[in-house]
Amino acid sequence: MKIALINENSQAAKNSIIFQELEQEAKKAGHTVFNYGMYSANDTHQLTYVKIGLLAAILINSKAVDFVVTGCGTGQGAMLACNSFPNVLCGYIVDSLDAYLFGQVNDGNAIAMPFAQGFGWGGELNLRYTFEKLFSEEFGGGYPRERAIPEQTNKRILDDVKKITHQPLMSILKNIDQTFLKETIDYPEFKEYFFTNCQDKEIADYLLSLI
């Protein structure tokens, strides 16, 4: 599984801590992590939580990645922004129990975490244990196990509902403010990781035309 880490500007200073814990646990499960930044609070390229949602949607819909780990000060803004876009199912994750249940019951493809609220002494340990439980088993296994079939059925229904209630991503990309879109994607690490891993030529060609 290819995993993207995305930090918004208010919590960019924690990027190296989050990346270290995420990569450590993801590697144990056989996954690869791509760090899409921000890398520090002083980065020229600034990502807001709204831009995070757009970036997550581009990465997931193009199959450049399979999963997104993100967050903001409270985690709420990043979660809401991600869920505003098609085919992104983002959970609000505070600790390891949240992570395990989200993966098993909801089988989503993104998580948003609070990187300021409640992030104090032992914060990096909470990250470690959360990522450990998130990737401890294949997603969608169900919890409790006897509830697996109805939970999987509900997940498929939710996916179908989102197809009806959301526009296709290409329509969004063409109709969203083009300056905002370019500001979101026009930085070196995006270009390096995205165009190497993107599996949707239409999305790739459109974004290339902007940058």
Side-chain angles (χ1 to χ4, degrees):
M1 185 162 68
K2 297 190 294 290
I3 301 167
L5 171 62
I6 313 173
N7 275 99
E8 52 87 64
N9 48 15
S10 78
Q11 301 305 306
K14 295 190 179 85
N15 176 268
S16 61
I17 298 172
I18 300 164
F19 179 70
Q20 178 179 325
E21 301 299 337
L22 173 59
E23 186 177 46
Q24 175 179 291
E25 297 305 322
K27 275 187 173 180
K28 290 178 184 177
H31 307 313
T32 304
V33 180
F34 297 90
N35 190 350
Y36 278 82
M38 295 174 55
Y39 305 96
S40 78
N42 298 319
D43 283 6
T44 301
H45 183 261
Q46 296 283 307
L47 289 174
T48 64
Y49 72 79
V50 183
K51 288 179 178 178
I52 282 176
L54 176 56
L55 193 53
I58 290 170
L59 296 177
I60 296 249
N61 280 272
S62 68
K63 299 183 180 178
V65 303
D66 307 294
F67 198 86
V68 170
V69 173
T70 187
C72 55
T74 65
Q76 301 284 7
M79 181 269 293
L80 291 170
C82 286
N83 284 324
S84 297
F85 289 92
N87 299 317
V88 182
L89 188 59
C90 182
Y92 175 68
I93 305 300
V94 175
D95 56 27
S96 57
L97 181 58
D98 286 341
Y100 181 76
L101 293 177
F102 175 70
Q104 295 306 303
V105 176
N106 305 111
D107 190 17
N109 54 19
I111 63 168
M113 300 183 69
F115 294 137
Q117 180 181 327
F119 196 101
W121 189 75
E124 80 284 359
L125 294 178
N126 183 59
L127 288 172
R128 186 179 309 166
Y129 302 147
T130 298
F131 297 141
E132 177 185 27
K133 293 307 290 184
L134 180 65
F135 303 124
S136 63
E137 297 180 27
E138 185 176 348
F139 285 7
Y143 186 87
R145 295 303 188 213
E146 61 268 22
R147 290 286 303 162
I149 292 177
E151 288 168 357
Q152 292 163 359
T153 299
N154 284 332
K155 168 58 166 52
R156 289 193 294 270
I157 292 171
L158 180 58
D159 287 344
D160 289 341
V161 168
K162 285 175 71 70
K163 290 176 183 177
I164 297 169
T165 59
H166 288 78
Q167 298 182 55
L169 182 67
M170 277 306 304
S171 177
I172 294 172
L173 295 179
K174 291 178 179 179
N175 287 286
I176 202 168
D177 183 285
Q178 298 297 281
T179 300
F180 178 77
L181 174 56
K182 183 177 179 181
E183 287 175 353
T184 301
I185 64 171
D186 194 7
Y187 66 103
E189 290 78 15
F190 176 85
K191 297 171 188 176
E192 176 185 357
Y193 298 145
F194 174 76
F195 292 110
T196 299
N197 293 296
C198 176
Q199 298 180 42
D200 189 305
K201 187 176 185 299
E202 185 179 15
I203 293 175
D205 287 347
Y206 188 75
L207 297 184
L208 270 174
S209 73
L210 297 176
I211 57 178

